């Protein structure tokens, strides 16, 4: 009797098919995890660049104060190179009346430093990074 027709020895390929399905599921999960990891790393990079920019803008605002309104160029150093900062100043004047006596006073200036999000390399141009003396 030949062993070629023995039902116990016949290979149907069930194990091979199960192994291929397992490899396919594992590869899909791996690709999903790689995508999530890349998004997390991108978010961390953006947060780091924003933090560096905010620290430098605060340092400029603290050291320069109202003198930044004189028109000098303000730049900050970022990983992508030096970026120019827009300076916006606003003088606030007020009239105060106490006991019938009116006085005009000048309130402190508001100094606002603004960097475009595109300059930071983080995307949306409609959402600039702003550091102001009124915050």
């Amino acid at each position: 009797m030949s062993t070629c027709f023995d039902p116990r020895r016949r290979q149907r390929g069930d194990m091979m098919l199960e192994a291929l399905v397992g490899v396919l599921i594992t590869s899909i999960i791996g690709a999903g995890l790689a995508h999530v990891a890349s998004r997390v790393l991108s978010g961390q990079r953006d947060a780091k660049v924003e933090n560096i920019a905010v620290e430098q803008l605060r340092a400029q605002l603290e050291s320069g104060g109202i003198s930044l309104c004189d028109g000098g160029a303000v730049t900050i150093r970022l990983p992508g190179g030096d970026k120019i900062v827009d300076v916006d100043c606003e003088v606030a004047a007020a009239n105060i009346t106490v006991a019938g006596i009116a006085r005009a006073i000048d309130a402190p200036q508001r100094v606002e430093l603004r960097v475009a999000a595109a300059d930071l390399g983080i995307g949306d141009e409609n959402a600039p990074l702003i550091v102001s003396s009124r915050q």
Side-chain angles (χ1 to χ4, degrees):
M1 181 171 192
S2 174
T3 59
C4 291
F5 297 108
D6 188 9
R8 292 176 294 161
R9 308 260 309 155
R10 188 172 51 172
Q11 296 179 358
R12 297 184 348 199
D14 291 343
M15 291 293 286
M16 181 65 81
L17 186 59
E18 288 176 6
L20 286 174
V21 169
V23 167
L24 177 66
I25 291 172
T26 304
S27 64
I28 290 172
I29 291 171
L33 288 175
H35 176 70
V36 168
S38 69
R39 298 287 297 214
V40 167
L41 290 175
S42 176
Q44 285 180 343
R45 181 213 169 271
D46 291 350
K48 184 176 181 179
V49 169
E50 285 180 13
N51 188 32
I52 291 170
V54 167
E55 286 177 2
Q56 290 188 20
L57 290 174
R58 285 182 180 165
Q60 289 281 344
L61 190 59
E62 184 179 329
S63 65
I66 297 174
S67 65
L68 295 173
C69 297
D70 295 339
V74 178
T75 60
I76 58 173
R77 183 169 302 225
L78 295 174
D82 292 348
K83 302 298 178 187
I84 297 175
V85 177
D86 296 329
V87 179
D88 183 27
C89 300
E90 176 184 315
V91 178
N95 292 323
I96 297 180
T97 303
V98 177
I101 300 172
R103 301 276 182 183
I105 61 164
D106 290 330
Q109 279 187 330
R110 176 187 57 85
V111 180
E112 181 178 278
L113 303 176
R114 179 185 312 244
V115 179
D119 289 344
L120 297 175
I122 57 174
D124 188 17
E125 292 185 25
N126 296 327
L129 179 65
I130 300 172
V131 174
S132 175
S133 61
R134 284 209 183 144
Q135 292 179 344

